[in-house]
Amino acid sequence: MLKSEQAVTAAHTSTSRAKQKRMSPFQAIWEYRASYVFIAPFMICFMIFIMIPVIAAFGLSFTYYNSLEPPRFVGWANFRYMLSQDLILIKYAIPNTFKFATIVGPGGYAASFLLAWLISILPGVYRKWFTLALYTPSLAGGVAMSIIWLPLLSGDRIGYLNSFLIKLGLINEPVLWVTSKEHLMTSMIVVTLWSSMGIGFLAMLAGILNVNHELYEAGRLDGIKSRLEEIWYITIPSTKPQMLFGAVMAIVGAFKAGGIGTQLSGMNPTPQYAGHLIISQIDDYGFTRFELGYATALSVFLLILIYAANKLCWRLFGTKEDE
């Protein structure tokens, strides 16, 4: 009886596939019109706010455009200038961006997973308060910058960090944490990591909390003896979708964080370009020099970098069904 039901199901599936192949695209859309009505609001917003701007950006990247005159087609001139003559981009923005993203992206991602796992083993009554405490900095933004970090990292003796270190005898003179070339990048990384527990952190926490506890019991019966083995063999494989989402959000956040150096140092550009990132270069050409064509070309270059990093995440955490 079971075999006959399976045969009927297989025949029905093959018939449906053959029918779909015979239908034209317009017939297929009409047949599934109810489904398209449901996804229409999302598709309209996606086209207006994402797809069309991206296509327009690719088009403007091949033009000279100053927002006053009509765009003038210049071919690959913007990209040739970017790769051969923009010394600030080559010498400062690209190396600083890769250093910043390499530390903040994986570092924030690892911290998100570790803290999410630690919260998951807490009693439920404490879990929500620790989650709120860790998630709040990602919402604070400029408020936390002006209230917490700027007084803390002030370069005089009144700054909280300098005052504390001088009292302990660890330093004799105040350290210019945010206005010196040597320490600005470190300060940027610390502040960004502090505020990196965003939506990716919540996604990983939700994934860990929803892992079937029977898997842990079965693992202990199969010889898993430590928490580390549970994480490696059960937690990580069971939360791959959430970890993929968290990785993508961490990479995008690391690459797009550009104003942090200017906010901390109060200077634009940052001291000796120590905190100058690709986003800073885009802002400089787009909103200061009004060379919007070249600024758009820089944006396309950054988009390609983010896409390559996201493909790496899909390789690490994606599955064949997701590709």
Side-chain angles (χ1 to χ4, degrees), residues 36-116:
Y36 287 105
V37 169
F38 281 108
I39 66 173
F42 167 78
M43 291 301 299
I44 292 172
C45 293
F46 177 79
M47 293 294 294
I48 293 175
F49 297 107
I50 297 179
M51 183 60 68
I52 293 176
V54 168
I55 295 173
F58 273 97
L60 286 175
S61 66
F62 295 98
T63 66
Y64 172 80
Y65 181 46
N66 59 8
S67 77
L68 297 176
E69 303 173 341
R72 187 174 72 250
F73 182 75
V74 295
W76 294 95
N78 288 329
F79 293 96
R80 286 197 298 267
Y81 179 80
M82 181 194 309
L83 298 176
S84 61
Q85 300 180 48
D86 192 346
L87 298 181
I88 294 177
L89 175 72
I90 297 171
K91 188 176 180 180
Y92 298 107
I94 292 179
N96 287 343
T97 299
F98 275 98
K99 178 181 178 180
F100 182 80
T102 301
I103 298 176
V104 169
Y109 178 73
S112 296
F113 179 81
L114 178 61
L115 292 173

Side-chain angles (χ1 to χ4, degrees), residues 61-223:
S61 66
F62 295 98
T63 66
Y64 172 80
Y65 181 46
N66 59 8
S67 77
L68 297 176
E69 303 173 341
R72 187 174 72 250
F73 182 75
V74 295
W76 294 95
N78 288 329
F79 293 96
R80 286 197 298 267
Y81 179 80
M82 181 194 309
L83 298 176
S84 61
Q85 300 180 48
D86 192 346
L87 298 181
I88 294 177
L89 175 72
I90 297 171
K91 188 176 180 180
Y92 298 107
I94 292 179
N96 287 343
T97 299
F98 275 98
K99 178 181 178 180
F100 182 80
T102 301
I103 298 176
V104 169
Y109 178 73
S112 296
F113 179 81
L114 178 61
L115 292 173
W117 179 80
L118 290 174
I119 290 175
S120 69
I121 63 178
L122 292 175
V125 66
Y126 302 112
R127 191 180 298 153
K128 60 182 180 181
W129 297 112
F130 278 93
T131 302
L132 180 63
L134 291 172
Y135 181 65
T136 300
S138 66
L139 302 176
V143 177
M145 190 73 64
S146 59
I147 295 177
I148 299 175
W149 289 105
L150 292 181
L152 180 67
L153 299 175
S154 179
D156 51 25
R157 291 179 177 270
I158 304 176
Y160 296 150
L161 183 57
N162 279 332
S163 176
F164 179 72
L165 294 177
I166 290 173
K167 287 180 179 178
L168 291 179
L170 298 178
I171 59 174
N172 296 320
E173 296 293 332
V175 178
L176 302 177
W177 297 107
V178 294
T179 55
S180 66
K181 177 183 177 181
E182 293 76 16
H183 299 100
L184 178 57
M185 178 59 70
T186 303
S187 300
M188 291 169 56
I189 291 171
V190 170
V191 174
T192 307
L193 285 175
W194 174 78
S195 61
S196 63
M197 301 297 114
I199 192 67
F201 159 72
L202 293 182
M204 283 191 277
L205 177 60
I208 294 173
L209 290 175
N210 283 303
V211 175
N212 191 346
H213 289 280
E214 294 179 358
L215 295 176
Y216 295 111
E217 297 174 2
R220 285 190 286 271
L221 292 175
D222 288 339

Side-chain angles (χ1 to χ4, degrees), residues 4 16 26-27 57 120 150 154 177 263 273 295 308:
S4 62
S16 300
F26 295 104
Q27 290 174 332
S120 69
L150 292 181
S154 179
W177 297 107
Q263 293 174 11
Y273 295 99

